[in-house]
């Protein structure tokens, strides 16, 4: 039996965190060592987006962890523990963490990524009007910009198509202006609708 079939059977075709049956996928809980069923979790799209910090945490949604944290599957335990830690400003999450028990090996795995130390705040690339930017978006430059190390000047009103987000800096995007790839500060662009 393939891993995916095994996981869907184990989860009864439901998200192992919230119980949703919509938009299911397999989440490999990092760091992976053997890629076994024990190290994977069946998740819905909403849970996955928030686990991967692509969406703002919805505290009400995660109250489902009060049940899923008791799972016998180590991967589900690890994700539950990490998410409860990210929500530790909520009293119900702290209460659940106080009740939750992980053996030493599972706890070491849960702490391995350091994700539990991060708060629930998720930062997105945002334009000058506070609109969320995504890879592939089209933006308009709202101020004439001189490009460092070049004689190029990105003029006010220039349309930059198919932008790429700079992963480690939420204030920067990359795009082509006059055929040259440049880094642009998000505060100087407006998302084109």
């Amino acid at each position: 039996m393939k891993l995916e079939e095994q996981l869907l059977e184990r989860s009864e075709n439901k998200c192992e965190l919230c119980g949703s049956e919509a938009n299911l996928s397999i989440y490999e809980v990092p760091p992976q060592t053997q890629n076994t069923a024990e190290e994977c979790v069946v998740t819905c799209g909403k849970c996955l987006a928030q686990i991967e910090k692509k969406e703002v945490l919805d505290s009400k949604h995660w109250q489902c962890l009060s049940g899923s944290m008791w799972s016998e599957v180590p991967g589900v335990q690890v994700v539950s523990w990490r998410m409860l830690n990210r929500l530790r400003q909520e009293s119900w999450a702290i209460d659940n963490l106080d009740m939750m028990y992980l053996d030493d090996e599972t706890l070491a795995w849960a702490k391995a990524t350091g994700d539990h130390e991060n708060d629930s705040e998720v930062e997105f690339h945002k334009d000058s009007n506070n609109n969320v930017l995504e890879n592939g978006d089209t933006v308009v430059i709202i101020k004439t910009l001189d490009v460092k190390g070049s004689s190029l000047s990105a003029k006010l009103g220039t349309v930059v198509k198919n932008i790429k987000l700079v992963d480690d800096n939420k204030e920067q995007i990359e795009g082509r202006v006059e055929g040259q790839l440049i880094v642009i500060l998000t505060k100087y662009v407006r998302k084109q609708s």
Side-chain angles (χ1 to χ4, degrees), residues 97-115:
L97 278 170
D98 288 344
M99 290 186 286
M100 191 172 187
Y101 170 78
L102 299 179
D103 61 51
D104 292 341
E105 186 179 325
T106 307
L107 184 60
W109 177 23
K111 290 181 176 180
T113 61
D115 188 46

Side-chain angles (χ1 to χ4, degrees), residues 22-187:
N23 197 15
L24 297 178
S25 61
I26 307 303
Y27 175 65
E28 297 175 358
V29 183
Q32 287 278 302
T33 55
Q34 301 147 358
N35 196 22
T36 63
E38 300 293 303
E39 294 182 342
C40 297
V41 179
V42 176
T43 63
C44 67
K46 183 171 181 116
C47 286
L48 184 61
Q50 292 183 34
I51 289 168
E52 294 181 336
K53 298 183 179 183
K54 294 180 178 172
E55 197 176 280
V56 176
L57 274 183
D58 177 358
S59 173
K60 288 186 174 80
H61 174 78
W62 288 106
Q63 290 184 5
C64 61
L65 294 175
S66 299
S68 57
M69 70 183 213
W70 301 110
S71 172
E72 294 180 13
V73 177
V76 176
Q77 294 172 355
V78 167
V79 172
S80 297
W81 187 85
R82 288 177 182 170
M83 296 309 292
L84 286 169
N85 270 285
R86 284 177 51 195
L87 290 159
R88 63 186 172 272
Q89 76 279 5
E90 302 284 340
S91 60
W92 62 267
I94 292 171
D95 292 344
N96 284 336
L97 278 170
D98 288 344
M99 290 186 286
M100 191 172 187
Y101 170 78
L102 299 179
D103 61 51
D104 292 341
E105 186 179 325
T106 307
L107 184 60
W109 177 23
K111 290 181 176 180
T113 61
D115 188 46
H116 66 286
E117 295 171 355
N118 300 329
D119 61 10
S120 60
E121 190 65 32
V122 178
E123 293 182 13
F124 295 101
H125 287 78
K126 293 186 178 182
D127 72 358
S128 60
N129 295 329
N130 223 19
N131 295 314
V132 175
L133 297 171
E134 296 177 16
N135 282 317
D137 280 348
T138 299
V139 296
V140 178
I141 297 176
I142 62 168
K143 176 183 177 185
T144 299
L145 304 170
D146 291 327
V147 180
K148 289 184 181 176
S150 169
S151 60
L152 178 70
S153 181
K155 305 274 188 244
L156 167 81
T158 301
V159 175
V160 182
K161 297 180 179 180
N162 199 22
I163 64 165
K164 183 178 180 300
L165 307 179
V166 175
D167 289 332
D168 57 352
N169 189 332
K170 303 299 179 208
E171 296 177 2
Q172 295 179 345
I173 58 171
E174 293 178 343
R176 292 203 176 273
V177 174
E178 296 180 20
Q180 187 174 344
L181 184 65
I182 63 170
V183 174
I184 307 167
L185 294 178
T186 56
K187 66 183 179 181

